Amino acid sequence: PTTAPPTTAPPTTGPPIDATPASQAGLEILHGIPDTPVDAYLDGELLVGGFAPGELAGPLDLPGGSYDVDLYAASDEPAATADDRSDPPIASAELPVTGDPGTLVITPTASGEVQLQTFTDDLSPVPAGDGRLTIRNPGPGGVSITVAAVDGGLPMEVGLEPGESFTADLPAGDYVVQITDEAGNERLASVVSNVEGTLTSATAILPDVGDAELLLQRISDLGTPPDGIPTGNSGLLPGSHGDESTGLILAGIAALGLLALVGRQRLRNVE
């Protein structure tokens, strides 16, 4: 009798990530605290209720200045103002806003407290045929990031301390992003589509307990490529376009148990 060779199904990704046009970009808020839905208030007014982990709110068109942000444990019927709450906030911070597009990332610290960090988006023009990939490390620890094209391109490796980010303009296509923590443990590996003329921001959420995640955002219309420029494989399942090297890379990652889903968050518009 013959034995069929083992097969590796291509990994699935989350739902497609809707891109915000550059003309509409503003401040977005990314919720990265695992298992902790919150009600978020801006200058005492309810901004978004029932804000779920992995969810993205915005964009907000805020003039430059300083704003008070308060987060409360989510309630079924959140009060319209923070003054009407009887429970204490789980986090409060003064948020400086420049008026430039960016993301406020909410994550836990090593001690279990809540921290808020702002990352600015680079919306300068992207060369034809390229997409812009940004990887953020909100912490709590330092990480090593490896980015490699799934078609066998040479990998890049960079270290990021908490609060740092890495940005590169790369040929459009699919890339494997691997993240190793400062203790040398490989925490996740994900396939990210780098879309032509688009900023793709990937925020690493690396809790001490629980699964690591890579949460994505996109801002489009950063370049108008001429006809005939390759645009990569955006929108395809990794490994589904017949590239043998892609399948081998993904099979190796899957064997390590590190393959993470990306793009779970929903964009919630805030009036």
Side-chain angles (χ1 to χ4, degrees):
T2 59
T3 302
T7 59
T8 301
T12 57
T13 65
I17 301 300
D18 292 332
T20 299
S23 61
Q24 300 176 21
L27 180 69
E28 296 183 333
I29 305 173
L30 184 62
H31 185 343
I33 309 173
D35 305 318
T36 309
V38 300
D39 298 329
Y41 292 79
L42 183 69
D43 276 354
E45 302 291 331
L46 180 64
L47 180 66
V48 55
F51 197 20
E55 196 171 30
L56 184 68
L60 301 172
D61 184 12
L62 295 178
S66 181
Y67 296 83
D68 293 326
V69 177
D70 297 290
L71 303 177
Y72 291 81
S75 58
D76 292 336
E77 296 183 3
T81 69
D83 288 341
D84 293 329
R85 303 278 306 219
S86 59
D87 54 328
I90 61 175
S92 296
E94 185 174 306
L95 174 66
V97 172
T98 63
D100 296 325
T103 301
L104 174 65
V105 179
I106 306 169
T107 54
T109 66
S111 61
E113 298 177 349
V114 176
Q115 65 179 358
L116 291 82
Q117 301 175 77
T118 303
F119 293 84
T120 301
D121 295 326
D122 180 358
L123 301 187
S124 60
V126 176
D130 285 1
R132 178 166 294 142
L133 181 62
T134 291
I135 302 173
R136 306 175 180 135
N137 175 32
V143 297
S144 175
I145 308 288
T146 301
V147 179
V150 297
D151 63 2
L154 293 176
M156 299 178 295
E157 186 170 344
V158 62
L160 295 179
E161 294 300 318
E164 292 184 340
S165 62
F166 161 79
T167 298
D169 291 346
L170 302 170
D174 291 339
Y175 289 80
V176 177
V177 177
Q178 295 176 278
I179 298 181
T180 303
D181 64 23
E182 55 191 353
N185 301 310
E186 293 189 62
R187 294 298 305 275
L188 67 77
S190 295
V191 176
V192 176
S193 290
N194 184 41
V195 181
E196 184 174 2
T198 297
L199 167 64
T200 298
S201 297
T203 301
I205 305 298
L206 306 173
D208 289 335
V209 178
D211 294 333
E213 295 185 276
L214 203 59
L215 301 181
L216 299 188
Q217 301 161 257
R218 287 202 169 103
I219 298 177
S220 62
D221 302 338
L222 301 185
T224 305
D227 292 338
I229 296 294
T231 57
N233 301 302
S234 173
L236 295 179
L237 288 179
S240 66
H241 44 76
D243 187 333
E244 182 178 357
S245 63
T246 300
L248 292 174
I249 292 173
L250 294 175
I253 293 173
L256 294 174
L258 296 170
L259 193 64
L261 295 182
V262 295
R264 293 191 312 106
Q265 76 274 16
R266 303 177 300 280
L267 181 66
R268 180 186 293 197
N269 292 325
V270 177
E271 299 298 335

